[in-house]
Amino acid sequence: MGDYESGTAIFLSIIVGFIMLFFIDGLFVYTFTGFLAAYLTRAERRSAGVGAAASLILAVISFSSGMIFGPRMPGRIAGLAAPDIFTFTTGLVIIGGLSLLLGAIGGYIAVKAFRE
C-alpha cells in the first residue's frame, strides 16, 4: 500500500492513467485511476472521493487533448461540422459525470479491499 498524501497519489495515478489511455479503452482506465489513487493514499485519508477526483482530472485532460488533437475527417465532412457550444458543454458534462462515477467505484473498491 502507498503512503502518499492525497495530492501526490492523485498526480501519480493521473500520470499512469494518461499513459494507459494510449493502450486501453477509457472506461477501464478511469476506474483503474480511481482505484490507484485511493490505493496510494494513506489509510486514514483514503476515500472514494480521492478516486473520483483523480478520474475527473484525467477526464478533463483527456477531453482537452481531444479538442486540440481532433479526429481526422474527410474535407467534405469537416466543412459541415461547425463548433457548437451546446454539444461541447454536453460532452464535457457527460464525460465528467461518467468519470466521477467510475473513479468513485474504483476508489470504493480500494477502500473496501484494503481497509485495516
Side-chain angles (χ1 to χ4, degrees):
M1 262 195 260
D3 193 26
Y4 296 104
E5 290 291 327
S6 59
T8 307
I10 288 172
F11 181 73
L12 291 174
S13 65
I14 288 172
I15 291 173
V16 170
F18 193 70
I19 293 169
M20 286 178 65
L21 277 175
F22 290 112
F23 303 109
I24 303 173
D25 186 29
L27 295 177
F28 173 75
V29 172
Y30 295 140
T31 307
F32 181 75
T33 301
F35 176 84
L36 187 62
Y39 175 76
L40 291 176
T41 306
R42 291 187 177 152
E44 63 271 4
R45 306 271 309 194
R46 186 174 297 141
S47 69
V50 173
S55 191
L56 178 65
I57 293 170
L58 179 64
V60 169
I61 291 171
S62 174
F63 187 81
S64 300
S65 68
M67 294 301 293
I68 295 170
F69 305 111
R72 300 186 125 219
M73 292 187 275
R76 198 173 91 182
I77 296 174
L80 295 174
D84 183 16
I85 193 69
F86 177 73
T87 306
F88 175 79
T89 307
T90 304
L92 186 61
V93 167
I94 289 173
I95 194 69
L98 280 174
S99 66
L100 271 174
L101 178 69
L102 292 172
I105 289 171
Y108 180 76
I109 291 170
V111 168
K112 291 299 179 184
F114 299 107
R115 65 181 152 183
E116 293 181 6

